[in-house]
Amino acid sequence: VIATMRNTGRSAALAAAAGPALGRTLEIKQLDVCDESSIRACLDSIPGRHIDILVSNAGVGMAGPLECQSLAAMQSLMDTNFFGLVRLVKEVLPDMKRRRGGHIVVISSIMGLQG
């Protein structure tokens, strides 16, 4: 299992929760869904870039009325929540299709259902 995070400097809590699995059955790698080179570097570090299951749960939220949000903040939100997923899928799907196997699980939030 490979857990990824944008800032691995903040991995202490995950490493502590993993306990003895860390380094044996769990690795922590750097991956920023907003950076195509980061995605490629992470996937290239995996033997054969072989991904059986991609679980995408990267996301950011925004609270408050639309008219109070800057366009830049909304673009940043979409870059992470939507285009980040698109970047990941574009990298892993071709191999999954070639192998005729694999799963992609996308985790969202309840906020997608609330106006």
Side-chain angles (χ1 to χ4, degrees):
V1 174
I2 299 170
T4 63
M5 46 193 333
R6 182 178 30 211
N7 180 358
T8 55
R10 299 178 65 187
S11 65
L14 175 58
L22 186 62
R24 293 179 57 219
T25 58
L26 175 71
E27 294 180 57
I28 300 173
K29 295 182 179 277
Q30 193 278 335
L31 187 149
D32 180 349
V33 298
C34 295
D35 181 351
E36 289 179 31
S37 63
S38 172
I39 294 169
R40 282 193 202 102
C42 182
L43 292 175
D44 288 346
S45 75
I46 299 167
R49 292 175 52 111
H50 185 103
I51 305 293
D52 288 315
I53 302 170
L54 169 67
V55 177
S56 177
N57 69 337
V60 293
M62 179 178 287
L66 179 71
E67 66 270 16
C68 296
Q69 308 300 327
S70 71
L71 187 57
M74 288 185 264
Q75 287 173 325
S76 178
L77 179 133
M78 291 299 292
D79 194 35
T80 299
N81 295 356
F82 177 74
F83 290 108
L85 172 64
V86 169
R87 289 181 193 101
L88 284 171
V89 170
K90 284 176 67 71
E91 284 293 323
V92 302
L93 191 58
D95 180 60
M96 288 180 173
K97 288 174 79 171
R98 249 187 318 279
R99 289 185 291 113
R100 300 186 68 151
H103 298 280
I104 297 174
V105 178
V106 180
I107 298 173
S108 187
S109 94
I110 189 73
M111 294 307 290
L113 301 175
Q114 295 177 343

